[in-house]
């Protein structure tokens, strides 16, 4: 546990010193807050909890993508850091602790301003409405939707970052993210994850657990991947996003280890 905490600490501090983290995350977090306060998509709902849920869609679209873009070079930096893997392997920390700390540290740093701003907005809605539902909706959204989606986009961007130049990986991540979250099926010549239980936008969980309007779940279609909104469908949505994140992380680390072994 001590090795995990120390690894998490130094990884978080290193991420905090990187300008790309703040340059990618803070502007998008502030833009999300501005849109949440002015966009009819959010302000058009009379229910304060529904406003918080609709605001979570903005957060998960913009801020989560920003975190993924900021950390897209995470695996590549480890691959290019000559001698560092050998140095870390010589420490008394286990590989699992180092891996978990290296994953969680930058995420904690990048997600902290997003969480603070979103919870503050939820608290304001709670204060003005006199109901605890908005801040509860914000907490549920962060835990059940934003965090799993951030794990996925970070893992996906990191995987692309070891397969191609980081700038190209970031560009591809933006396209894939928008395709998976917001590309309308009726305009897509190819099948899209938008509105399905595979979508990292988390439409099912947001509707079932965070009072979001049913706009982003089961969007424009039906079938096994677009079931009716329910607690079970929401849970499947979250588990599938986490499973895809784990697969991307595992594949990325496997590629890095093989390249390390080949050099």
């Amino acid at each position: 546990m001590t090795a995990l905490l120390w690894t998490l600490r130094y990884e978080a501090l290193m991420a905090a010193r990187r300008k790309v983290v703040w340059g990618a995350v803070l502007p998008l977090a502030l833009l999300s807050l501005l849109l949440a306060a002015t966009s009819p998509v959010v302000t058009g709902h009379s229910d304060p909890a529904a406003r918080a849920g609709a605001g979570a869609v903005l957060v998960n679209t913009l801020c989560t993508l920003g975190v993924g873009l900021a950390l897209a070079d995470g695996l590549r930096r480890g691959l290019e850091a000559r001698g560092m893997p050998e140095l870390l392997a010589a420490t008394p920390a286990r590989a699992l602790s180092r891996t978990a700390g290296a994953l969680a540290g930058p995420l904690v740093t990048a997600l902290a301003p997003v969480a603070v701003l979103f919870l503050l907005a939820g608290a304001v809605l709670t204060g003005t409405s006199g109901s605890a539902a908005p801040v509860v909706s914000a907490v549920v959204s962060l835990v059940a939707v934003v965090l799993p989606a951030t794990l996925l986009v970070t893992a996906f961007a990191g995987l692309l970052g070891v397969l191609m130049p980081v700038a190209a990986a970031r560009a591809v991540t933006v396209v894939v993210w928008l395709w998976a979250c917001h590309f309308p099926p009726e305009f897509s010549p190819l099948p899209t994850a938008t509105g399905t239980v595979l979508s990292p936008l988390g439409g099912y969980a947001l509707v079932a657990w965070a009072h979001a309007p049913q706009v982003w779940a089961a969007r424009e279609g039906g079938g096994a991947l677009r079931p009716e909104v329910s607690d079970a469908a929401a849970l499947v949505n979250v588990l599938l996003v986490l499973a895809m994140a784990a697969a991307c992380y595992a594949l990325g680390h496997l590629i890095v280890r093989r390249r390390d072994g080949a050099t």
Side-chain angles (χ1 to χ4, degrees):
M1 179 60 74
T2 302
L4 170 62
L5 294 177
W6 277 108
T7 305
L8 191 154
R9 181 177 182 275
Y10 79 70
E11 290 285 352
L13 289 175
M14 287 197 299
R17 293 172 180 171
R18 299 188 61 208
K19 294 180 180 178
V20 67
V21 173
W22 304 110
V25 176
L26 274 182
L28 291 177
L30 294 173
L31 176 61
S32 299
L33 196 62
L34 176 64
L35 290 175
T38 59
S39 173
V41 175
V42 177
T43 60
H45 301 284
S46 57
D47 181 3
R51 291 185 189 177
V57 175
L58 294 173
V59 171
N60 207 26
T61 299
L62 298 175
C63 301
T64 301
L65 177 60
V67 174
L69 297 180
L71 304 180
D73 59 347
L75 281 177
R76 176 172 284 276
R77 291 173 71 239
L79 185 63
E80 294 175 345
R82 300 299 179 189
M84 184 58 70
E86 291 80 1
L87 177 62
L88 292 175
T91 66
R94 293 183 178 181
L96 180 60
S97 297
R98 293 200 308 272
T99 301
L103 167 64
L107 282 178
V108 168
T109 297
L111 273 178
V114 176
V116 169
L117 288 174
F118 189 44
L119 290 175
L120 180 61
V124 170
L125 284 173
T126 287
T128 55
S129 66
S131 167
V135 75
V136 172
S137 175
V139 172
V140 171
S141 299
L142 286 172
V143 174
V145 178
V146 175
L147 181 57
T150 304
L151 289 170
L152 175 55
V153 71
T154 303
F156 181 73
L159 171 61
L160 293 182
V162 298
L163 296 175
M164 60 183 71
V166 173
R170 285 172 171 148
V172 174
T173 298
V174 171
V175 174
V176 173
W177 190 252
L178 295 178
W179 167 81
C181 293
H182 287 291
F183 203 91
E186 63 177 329
F187 296 128
S188 176
L190 298 173
T192 173
T194 299
T196 71
V197 289
L198 293 169
S199 175
L201 185 64
Y204 284 88
L206 287 173
V207 173
W209 301 331
H211 304 282
Q214 189 172 332
V215 177
W216 300 278
R219 188 174 182 180
E220 299 176 12
L225 294 178
R226 290 188 174 86
E228 294 293 326
V229 176
S230 65
D231 288 342
L235 182 60
V236 169
N237 189 188
V238 173
L239 292 178
L240 285 175
V241 172
L242 289 174
M244 289 187 287
C248 289
Y249 271 115
L251 185 55
H253 280 280
L254 178 62
I255 292 173
V256 169
R257 287 190 179 185
R258 287 198 172 187
R259 290 187 179 180
D260 276 340
T263 57

